[in-house]
Amino acid sequence: MSFRTKSLLYLFFFMLVAIVSAVQYASAADKNAILAEVGPYKLDAKTFEEQIKSLPPQLQMMVAQNPQAKEQFVERWTQITLLAMKARDMKLDQDPEVKSRIEDLKNSLLAQEIIRKEIDKDIPVSDQEAKEFYEKNKAEFSQPEMIKARHILIRPQGNSEKAWKEAEAKAKDIKKKLEKGADFAQLAKQYSEDPGTKDKGGELGLFPKGRMVPEFEKAAFALKVGEISAPVKTQFGYHIIKVEEKKPAETKPLKDVMSQVKQMVKMEKQQNELEKLIDQIKTKYPVKIHKDAISALQVESPAQTQAVPHPTKSK
């Protein structure tokens, strides 16, 4: 398993247990100023601060700088507490499905606390460790050759040979206008039939090899900066391509990514510590995974919208 894959799994685990970090629990301790009360529940300053710290940094800054945001947060707490009290009056907390979900939330919160106490701590990373990691994972800091381009797409009106010939003829006429000095972006806005880029003058942005369909990619990467292609036929129609910038493949030097590398090494160490902790716990609480039952599960995929014709590869 690659470092990137393991890291994504590790982050996904942290995200799962962090979801409940903002769940509202009232504190019964009266050690700080009381900000709000709902029946027997109280929100004190200490609990408020802990809940704010669980928010993303941008939201933390917003609450810190905006008194109204603080009031809205407290108001939100009162609303949630009121709704929870009503749910208890309706005995929803005794519903088997709700009880199961509450237990899941409790498990997630407890798992988060274990990680915070045992794993999420300051772990030193030396320059030598960072260098060794960088050398083993240089691909993580490599950027492939990329180009920035625009295109004008002319689609055939139907799939007949005549329709394709008419589309090609129209594309060739547009190419002649460009050869006479017409502005590419203006012609793209006027003629292109790619709704995703038409209003942006045909701009596709930067992209590496492997992103576009083969015919488009071959033609685009063969062009020099400022050069405009002849009409290129793909499954979507005829494209006229203009390359505006080329970026050669490169690997970022260690000095430019040192802080990032050290953070990745720290994450790897934390990941190893987490795996050791889980293996240790398994000796006391054996785990059984029933793969046959998992394979038999039927999970519905969300509805997908139909893709708009574009030179990117079909999925």
Side-chain angles (χ1 to χ4, degrees):
M1 186 182 295
S2 70
F3 173 76
R4 183 180 293 276
T5 302
K6 290 176 71 177
S7 296
L8 287 173
L9 290 173
Y10 183 60
L11 285 172
F12 181 63
F13 181 86
F14 269 84
M15 288 171 66
L16 281 177
V17 298
I19 287 174
V20 298
S21 64
V23 175
Q24 317 302 319
Y25 290 97
S27 173
D30 191 17
K31 297 179 181 179
N32 298 291
I34 301 300
L35 307 182
E37 299 180 55
V38 178
Y41 299 96
K42 297 178 181 181
L43 176 65
D44 59 34
K46 180 181 177 181
T47 304
F48 176 84
E49 290 175 1
E50 289 174 351
Q51 292 175 357
I52 295 301
K53 288 178 181 177
S54 73
L55 298 173
Q58 299 90 333
L59 290 179
Q60 290 187 43
M61 186 177 297
M62 181 188 73
V63 174
Q65 297 177 349
N66 187 349
Q68 186 176 3
K70 296 176 187 178
E71 293 177 9
Q72 290 173 347
F73 190 93
V74 172
E75 177 64 25
R76 178 69 172 166
W77 176 86
T78 64
Q79 292 172 353
I80 290 174
T81 306
L82 284 167
L83 291 170
M85 291 177 69
K86 176 64 175 177
R88 289 188 182 91
D89 290 344
M90 297 171 64
K91 299 192 182 301
L92 293 181
D93 56 331
Q94 300 304 311
D95 181 275
E97 183 178 342
V98 175
K99 289 174 73 173
S100 176
R101 288 162 61 190
I102 290 173
E103 192 64 21
D104 286 341
L105 289 172
K106 287 169 64 177
N107 285 341
S108 295
L109 181 63
L110 289 169
Q112 179 195 1
E113 285 302 301
I114 284 290
I115 288 174
R116 187 177 66 83
K117 292 180 181 297
E118 302 291 332
I119 307 298
D120 190 16
K121 51 192 176 184
D122 187 31
I123 298 178
V125 178
S126 68
D127 290 350
Q128 182 60 31
E129 287 177 310
K131 182 179 179 182
E132 290 174 2
F133 180 91
Y134 173 82
E135 292 297 332
K136 290 179 182 178
N137 298 275
K138 271 193 175 180
E140 300 284 338
F141 310 99
S142 297
Q143 179 178 289
E145 179 187 6
M146 302 180 77
I147 63 172
K148 183 179 181 182
R150 295 178 184 268
H151 82 135
I152 298 172
L153 171 63
I154 303 301
R155 289 190 289 165
Q157 303 305 305
N159 201 34
S160 66
E161 183 179 350
K162 180 183 177 182
W164 278 94
K165 285 184 177 180
E166 289 175 348
E168 182 181 18
K170 184 176 179 181
K172 285 181 177 179
D173 286 342
I174 294 171
K175 175 64 187 302
K176 288 178 181 178
K177 294 178 187 290
L178 292 167
E179 289 173 346
K180 293 178 180 178
D183 182 76
F184 193 99
Q186 289 301 319
L187 290 188
K189 291 178 180 180
Q190 183 176 352
Y191 294 109
S192 183
E193 295 173 274
D194 176 6
T197 64
K198 177 184 177 72
D199 293 339
K200 297 186 293 183
E203 184 177 345
L204 292 166
L206 280 165
F207 56 88
K209 288 182 178 179
R211 183 74 57 81
M212 304 297 185
V213 293
E215 305 91 339
F216 186 97
E217 178 181 286
K218 182 179 179 180
F221 276 86
L223 294 171
K224 297 176 182 178
V225 174
E227 194 173 1
I228 298 173
S229 74
V232 178
K233 185 180 180 181
T234 73
Q235 67 198 68
F236 303 113
Y238 283 93
H239 307 260
I240 303 169
I241 309 164
K242 180 181 180 181
V243 171
E244 297 185 325
E245 182 182 350
K246 284 195 170 188
K247 287 191 172 183
E250 65 172 351
T251 299
K252 295 178 181 178
L254 177 58
K255 62 182 179 64
D256 291 347
V257 292
M258 179 60 85
S259 61
Q260 179 185 350
V261 172
K262 285 192 172 184
Q263 183 61 32
M264 293 171 78
V265 175
K266 180 180 177 181
M267 282 181 58
E268 189 175 63
K269 288 185 174 184
Q270 288 178 323
Q271 180 178 326
N272 292 335
E273 288 298 315
L274 177 62
E275 290 172 356
K276 288 178 184 177
L277 177 61
I278 290 174
D279 287 340
Q280 177 186 341
I281 301 171
K282 281 181 180 178
T283 61
K284 185 175 182 180
Y285 304 103
V287 175
K288 291 182 180 180
I289 296 178
H290 303 280
K291 294 184 178 180
D292 291 342
I294 295 172
S295 298
L297 285 175
Q298 298 293 324
V299 181
E300 294 184 4
S301 299
Q304 296 182 349
T305 55
Q306 188 172 358
V308 176
H310 196 270
T312 52
K313 281 186 173 179
S314 300
K315 300 292 183 185

